[in-house]
Amino acid sequence: MCGITGFWNIKYTDCDSQTILKKMANTISHRGPDDEGYYFDEKGIALAHKRLSIIDLSMAGHQPMHSDDGRYVMVYNGEIYNYLEISDNLKKEGIRFRGNSDSEVLLEAFKFYGEDCVKHFNGMFAFVIWDKVEATIFAARDRIGIKPLYYYLTQNLFVFGSEIKAVKAHPAIQNVANDEAIFNYLNFSHQLDNQTWINNIFQLDPGHTLSISRNGSIKKCYWKPTVAIDYSRSYESFKEELAWRIEEAISLHQRSDVPIGAHLSGGIDSSAIVSIASKLHSGEFHTFSSAFAGMGIQYDENKEINEVKNRFNTIHHQVSANPQKVQDVLPQLIGMLDEPVAGPAILPMYFVNELINQNNIRVVNGGQGVDELFGGYRPFNTLAAHNLISLVKQGIHVPFSELAMIPAYFYRGGSFNRLFNKTVPSKLSIFNDPSVSQNAHLRYQNAELALGSGLLKFEQSMLMNLKHYLPALLHQEDRMSMNWSIESRVPFLDHRLVELSLTIPSFYKVKQGSLKSVFRETLRGKVPNLILDNKVKRGYPTPISAWSRNEMSGFFTKTLAKDNSPINNFINMDNVQLMLKDHISGKIDYTSALWSVLCTKIWFNNNF
């Protein structure tokens, strides 16, 4: 895991390349404290690498890495988990290696397979390769988008980096806010495309490559999630394959030459990783949690955490953020993110990764992705009901026991709330222009349509989560871990597991009232029943709703006070003041809206 950045003056414009590149690289020093390297040549290319040594700690893994024939120069961030298998295949073709790093395997795979090398990789990665002979660049990002790659591209200049701040550090980049990206966040908490909050800086889409020459650029998709439901297979058949796929993925993610541990919450996903990974380690196995004791069942996971750590005899470490620490560090966290995404889970993430760093663990595995792939969120109840009705209309056999659950699914998904909820909905809008929300939701509908026709509601939502919401969570995961020079891995996003999940019928994912049922029952006998049978959904719980009404009410009030901030061009701060007053008094819970506006205001304070 590392940080990469660089640029190519395509028309060979004169500039102080060394000064510019080192300034860019210094913005991401936290991503790679172990080593650094730079490459320049007369054709206008400048590449920088900040190394966090995980596999092959020797200088054989130094970057920028040159191919043995001197033609290619590469900077790479990530891990290729199947590098040993790829290495064996390349050795059979007569290729010899100087070291034992996955970086060298990646570069040699590119030499041998060309652009198709990415189809051979199982891992998380973002890399840029410079071809000195052809004067071309080849860049790629992993299938799911676990590792980031940002870029700015014109006819004359290509700039890239692992974080937006590295790209912004190039003097050609203008610091201009991107209205549409900001509105997307304020409406949905995530993006609907590859835009960022800075105009003309983009993300390379997951599963894509980018080739650049003096004649132009070509972006290609080499992988995309495709729904192919197999209604012929049984529940037990899927469980059987899922069991060995999970074991295989977790085992592969244990490859490391430095100490490795795991996140542990009270949920199924992280508990599954601990249950399997702890048995693969002969020595001590460290686990890390954030918990809020005394905050009630919604936030306190200690009972479940204790069950897992005791069952698998882990060396456990735990931290609990408090409101004072949170408000002290929040402006820094927004800077670490480069732009706000998703919700307040960054708070426990930050403090847990600080704890991991303090205990000298360099790699941790976490449970991201299961809820998106197997229907772990409450709305999937309603979507499951819609699917059952649609499948019956299509003449597809569904279990009668599931048809009987349709009313319960609608209820559990919240569909009946509007009939029985006596609370008067708020008519206040945070936006100056009410059409902003309408336009944003039109973009959302267009994004759904772009997924393809013929999808049922459950699968459509699953793809939307996978393509648009999950990247926001991975963004948080990457920045909060890399700020503390920690490599965070996500075994359940092994692309083979993702592909398998896209073949499983919805009535196996939500079954007999149980969300992500087939995943849950696959782990029966491996994960304690206390965890498997617990229906309380948390997921990095943070009591920001309670804090914003009490200990942090002053911080919210001060930060959201009306001033001359550029946020006034986006937000109706008079309405925000009214919402904050009602929220603090307990009249209406505006936590979500206020959190989004708070983070946006802090972002403007940090950047303008």
Side-chain angles (χ1 to χ4, degrees):
M1 190 71 69
C2 308
I4 62 174
T5 191
F7 58 90
W8 181 23
N9 284 319
I10 299 171
K11 304 299 182 182
Y12 307 151
T13 307
D14 287 336
C15 68
D16 186 354
S17 295
Q18 292 195 25
T19 300
I20 293 171
L21 185 64
K22 289 187 177 181
K23 180 182 178 182
M24 294 169 64
N26 285 341
T27 66
I28 53 172
S29 293
H30 51 278
R31 298 186 71 94
D34 298 330
D35 186 24
E36 65 179 7
Y38 301 89
Y39 172 80
F40 306 90
D41 76 11
E42 71 281 357
K43 294 181 180 178
I45 194 76
L47 304 174
H49 185 264
K50 295 282 187 174
R51 185 183 183 193
L52 178 63
S53 301
I54 302 296
I55 293 175
D56 189 353
L57 311 186
S58 74
M59 288 305 292
H62 176 78
Q63 296 184 45
M65 181 173 286
H66 298 249
S67 60
D68 57 358
D69 60 4
R71 176 173 177 173
Y72 302 106
V73 187
M74 178 191 73
V75 286
Y76 150 60
N77 168 36
E79 298 293 347
I80 306 298
Y81 299 119
N82 64 333
Y83 75 102
L84 294 176
E85 290 77 10
I86 296 173
S87 174
D88 287 342
N89 291 334
L90 293 175
K91 286 175 182 177
K92 292 175 184 176
E93 300 294 337
I95 295 172
R96 304 182 67 177
F97 292 89
R98 295 162 287 177
N100 300 299
S101 71
D102 63 321
S103 305
E104 187 180 4
V105 172
L106 190 159
L107 186 54
E108 290 298 331
F110 173 76
K111 280 183 59 183
F112 187 78
Y113 297 114
E115 294 185 3
D116 281 345
C117 66
V118 290
K119 298 177 182 179
H120 295 262
F121 300 150
N122 183 345
M124 53 181 185
F125 54 84
F127 63 85
V128 172
I129 296 176
W130 169 246
D131 183 339
K132 293 196 283 186
V133 175
E134 296 293 332
T136 58
I137 276 178
F138 179 73
R141 193 174 177 206
D142 67 70
R143 294 171 179 83
I144 311 300
I146 303 167
K147 289 294 101 186
L149 185 60
Y150 297 92
Y151 69 93
Y152 167 92
L153 178 62
T154 66
Q155 289 183 336
N156 300 320
L157 179 65
F158 171 63
V159 185
F160 71 90
S162 294
E163 298 184 15
I164 295 171
K165 59 177 65 69
V167 180
K168 280 178 60 179
H170 192 286
I173 311 300
Q174 295 183 334
N175 190 37
V176 179
N178 180 349
D179 294 5
E180 185 174 307
I182 295 171
F183 284 135
N184 280 341
Y185 165 74
L186 290 167
N187 278 283
F188 312 119
S189 80
H190 58 78
Q191 295 303 316
L192 297 175
D193 48 32
N194 68 339
Q195 295 186 80
T196 72
W197 285 36
I198 301 297
N199 271 346
N200 300 317
I201 296 180
F202 301 93
Q203 288 196 68
L204 183 59
D205 294 298
H208 279 70
T209 64
L210 178 64
S211 300
I212 305 170
S213 70
R214 297 191 192 96
N215 298 320
S217 63
I218 300 174
K219 188 166 71 169
K220 294 180 181 178
C221 175
Y222 69 88
W223 184 91
K224 66 177 181 179
T226 302
V227 173
I229 305 300
D230 187 350
Y231 292 106
S232 68
R233 291 183 64 177
S234 69
Y235 188 74
E236 293 302 318
S237 169
F238 279 116
K239 280 175 56 182
E240 182 179 343
E241 181 176 354
L242 193 54
W244 68 261
R245 287 288 187 193
I246 289 172
E247 294 262 1
E248 181 184 48
I250 293 176
S251 177
L252 207 58
H253 281 68
Q254 304 312 302
R255 290 179 172 176
S256 172
D257 292 332
V258 297
I260 188 167
H263 291 290
L264 175 58
S265 71
I268 299 169
D269 313 338
S270 64
S271 298
I273 288 174
V274 172
S275 70
I276 296 170
S278 61
K279 295 177 181 178
L280 299 174
H281 291 261
S282 56
E284 295 179 341
F285 188 71
H286 292 254
T287 52
F288 300 87
S289 298
S290 170
F292 299 93
M295 294 294 294
I297 190 172
Q298 184 179 357
Y299 302 107
D300 190 351
E301 300 178 282
N302 277 296
K303 179 181 178 181
E304 293 83 5
I305 289 170
N306 289 336
E307 174 75 13
V308 175
K309 75 179 181 67
N310 292 334
R311 172 76 65 88
F312 301 105
N313 196 30
T314 72
I315 308 299
H316 190 66
H317 313 269
Q318 189 160 300
V319 67
S320 180
N322 64 60
Q324 185 60 53
K325 286 183 179 179
V326 166
Q327 64 187 41
D328 289 344
V329 78
L330 186 56
Q332 295 173 248
L333 300 193
I334 301 302
M336 293 170 195
L337 287 172
D338 281 324
E339 59 187 29
V341 289
I346 55 169
L347 305 175
M349 281 185 182
Y350 173 84
F351 292 108
V352 167
N353 281 289
E354 180 183 30
L355 183 65
I356 295 168
N357 176 279
Q358 291 169 350
N359 284 275
N360 299 312
I361 300 295
R362 305 296 292 274
V363 178
V364 286
N365 284 287
Q368 291 279 29
V370 175
D371 290 323
E372 291 74 22
L373 296 174
F374 293 93
Y377 298 121
R378 183 187 177 195
F380 279 111
N381 283 292
T382 298
L383 297 167
H386 281 294
N387 264 37
L388 288 168
I389 295 170
S390 296
L391 291 171
V392 169
K393 290 179 178 179
Q394 293 176 20
I396 295 175
H397 174 74
V398 297
F400 179 79
S401 58
E402 285 305 299
L403 296 177
M405 291 293 298
I406 288 176
Y409 287 150
F410 277 124
Y411 176 76
R412 292 175 184 179
S415 297
F416 296 158
N417 286 359
R418 64 182 181 274
L419 299 177
F420 303 106
N421 191 347
K422 303 300 182 182
T423 303
V424 178
S426 170
K427 295 183 179 180
L428 292 175
S429 170
I430 63 172
F431 300 111
N432 291 319
D433 181 359
S435 67
V436 164
S437 288
Q438 297 172 3
N439 294 335
H441 284 279
L442 181 60
R443 290 196 298 274
Y444 192 92
Q445 291 171 8
N446 290 336
E448 285 184 320
L449 291 173
L451 296 177
S453 60
L455 292 177
L456 298 183
K457 289 181 178 293
F458 192 101
E459 284 74 32
Q460 187 178 62
S461 181
M462 187 172 65
L463 277 189
M464 284 295 289
N465 274 286
L466 182 60
K467 289 177 66 66
H468 301 299
Y469 180 59
L470 181 61
L473 302 182
L474 294 173
H475 182 138
Q476 290 186 331
E477 185 93 31
D478 176 81
R479 301 310 190 280
M480 293 302 100
S481 59
M482 290 306 293
N483 176 73
W484 291 106
S485 305
I486 303 297
E487 176 172 294
S488 185
R489 298 178 175 179
V490 282
F492 295 129
L493 291 177
D494 181 306
H495 70 275
R496 296 165 302 179
L497 265 175
V498 173
E499 290 167 351
L500 175 60
S501 77
L502 295 171
T503 69
I504 302 176
S506 58
F507 51 76
Y508 289 161
K509 293 180 177 179
V510 180
K511 186 174 187 288
Q512 288 300 288
S514 178
L515 294 172
K516 53 188 181 186
S517 172
V518 68
F519 181 84
R520 187 186 302 265
E521 294 307 316
T522 295
L523 296 165
R524 187 75 64 180
K526 297 184 177 70
V527 173
N529 286 341
L530 175 68
I531 309 300
L532 295 173
D533 296 333
N534 181 20
K535 298 302 191 292
V536 178
K537 175 65 182 169
R538 298 184 181 101
Y540 266 129
T542 309
I544 201 70
S545 179
W547 288 349
S548 58
R549 288 189 171 102
N550 298 285
E551 298 96 326
M552 291 182 65
S553 61
F555 175 76
F556 270 73
T557 300
K558 180 179 179 181
T559 306
L560 295 176
K562 290 186 67 175
D563 54 24
N564 295 322
S565 168
I567 199 174
N568 295 323
N569 297 324
F570 301 82
I571 299 297
N572 184 328
M573 294 305 290
D574 289 325
N575 279 359
V576 170
Q577 299 302 309
L578 294 173
M579 294 166 74
L580 182 61
K581 181 180 178 180
D582 285 346
H583 177 77
I584 291 175
S585 71
K587 183 178 179 181
I588 302 178
D589 187 350
Y590 282 119
T591 302
S592 180
L594 292 173
W595 172 260
S596 296
V597 176
L598 180 81
C599 293
T600 304
K601 179 77 178 290
I602 292 172
W603 183 83
F604 275 110
N605 292 345
N606 287 349
N607 288 275
F608 296 94

